[in-house]
Amino acid sequence: MKQVFSFVLLLFLVAGMASYAQNPYFGVKAGLNLSHMVLKNNDTKFTNALNISPGFNAGLTMDYRIIPELTINASLLISNKGYLKTSKEDFQGASIKSIERLSLYYVEFPLYVKYEFQLGMVDVFAGAGPFVSYGYWGKYRWQRKGGGETEWGKSDVLWGENPEEDDFVNLDYGAGITVGGKWNNFVLDIGYHYSIPNISANTENGMYARNGVLFASVSYFFSRFYKYAEGNF
């Protein structure tokens, strides 16, 4: 599976560098993810104890301008999601600090329809559309410090649909929104991805897990954008 994704990424990159057409536009992008997770069962809502987890997104992107005001954007990304949990408690007179972090890594394909308009030297846009993600790797890490001692551990996330053995199902999907601006070869965008399905492999006692990600990214395109007002796109 990793070889297939690597091959697709390579084809996308070669196509972008080999393209001399102004439309579509090919480029690369990278940015910051601030992810959180809805995590609960029939007895407890764990979400209240979870914090925002910083991560990243990076990959390839393409813009295709249909008409001057309307653009389709598609990307193929590696996206890091999960949660961070910190807590503090007193035990036998000692202060115990705990940190837990779940890091999930996805190959993600977001697709946006964007409306653009010119604002000074910048083309501003707002868009929305679906995304599909495939989880392929993950880590759970924890650390506890207190009383002069430190304990820590880590384990791999198990992907699949076996409730007895696996942690999360591979497939995730949902809807996203994005806003940003274009200038010459660069695009800055921020947005949010709302996942729809329960990704917990074990649904006993109503176990439920769902991703959510606030992101910001910068893209560099191999050819300069024509402003939609220029008419040559």
Side-chain angles (χ1 to χ4, degrees):
M1 184 62 69
K2 290 183 180 179
Q3 289 84 352
V4 173
F5 287 130
S6 299
F7 182 68
V8 173
L9 287 169
L10 180 61
L11 286 181
F12 206 153
L13 181 59
V14 171
M17 292 188 294
S19 174
Y20 292 95
Q22 297 299 325
N23 196 27
Y25 301 84
F26 292 92
V28 293
K29 70 183 302 182
L32 171 70
N33 284 353
L34 296 176
S35 59
H36 66 94
M37 182 173 283
V38 175
L39 193 64
K40 62 182 180 179
N41 60 26
N42 291 337
D43 301 319
T44 307
K45 188 173 183 179
F46 305 101
T47 306
N48 297 333
L50 304 182
N51 305 117
I52 297 296
S53 178
F56 71 92
N57 62 80
L60 307 171
T61 187
M62 179 199 74
D63 258 25
Y64 185 84
R65 183 165 282 173
I66 303 173
I67 59 175
E69 297 84 6
L70 199 64
T71 300
I72 291 178
N73 174 260
S75 300
L76 188 62
L77 307 171
I78 301 297
S79 186
N80 175 212
K81 307 179 184 183
Y83 69 75
L84 180 67
K85 179 182 178 181
T86 59
S87 61
K88 183 178 179 180
E89 60 181 343
D90 292 326
F91 180 73
Q92 295 182 350
S95 178
I96 308 297
K97 297 180 180 180
S98 300
I99 300 175
E100 301 176 23
R101 182 168 186 177
L102 176 68
S103 296
L104 305 177
Y105 294 85
Y106 288 87
V107 174
E108 189 160 86
F109 179 74
L111 181 67
Y112 297 111
V113 177
K114 301 189 296 186
Y115 176 79
E116 299 186 13
F117 60 95
Q118 191 171 358
L119 185 64
M121 298 292 292
V122 179
D123 281 359
V124 179
F125 63 82
F131 71 89
V132 177
S133 303
Y134 185 88
Y136 69 95
W137 190 69
K139 279 284 187 183
Y140 173 76
R141 297 178 175 88
W142 62 269
Q143 183 184 78
R144 293 182 178 88
K145 298 176 67 175
E149 297 183 357
T150 299
E151 298 179 339
W152 65 274
K154 61 181 179 179
S155 60
D156 291 330
V157 170
L158 300 179
W159 298 92
E161 300 182 3
N162 188 333
E164 303 297 328
E165 298 179 359
D166 298 321
D167 299 310
F168 300 102
V169 298
N170 299 89
L171 184 64
D172 192 13
Y173 57 88
I177 56 173
T178 181
V179 296
K182 295 179 177 180
W183 183 74
N184 288 340
N185 299 62
F186 294 93
V187 174
L188 172 65
D189 66 311
I190 61 174
Y192 184 79
H193 279 174
Y194 178 90
S195 295
I196 295 174
N198 180 6
I199 63 169
S200 177
N202 184 356
T203 57
E204 185 178 356
N205 194 31
M207 190 64 196
Y208 179 87
R210 178 176 59 77
N211 286 312
V213 178
L214 176 68
F215 65 87
S217 62
V218 176
S219 303
Y220 175 80
F221 285 81
F222 303 127
S223 56
R224 182 183 73 86
F225 287 105
Y226 281 100
K227 293 179 173 60
Y228 82 86
E230 294 179 14
N232 182 12
F233 57 87

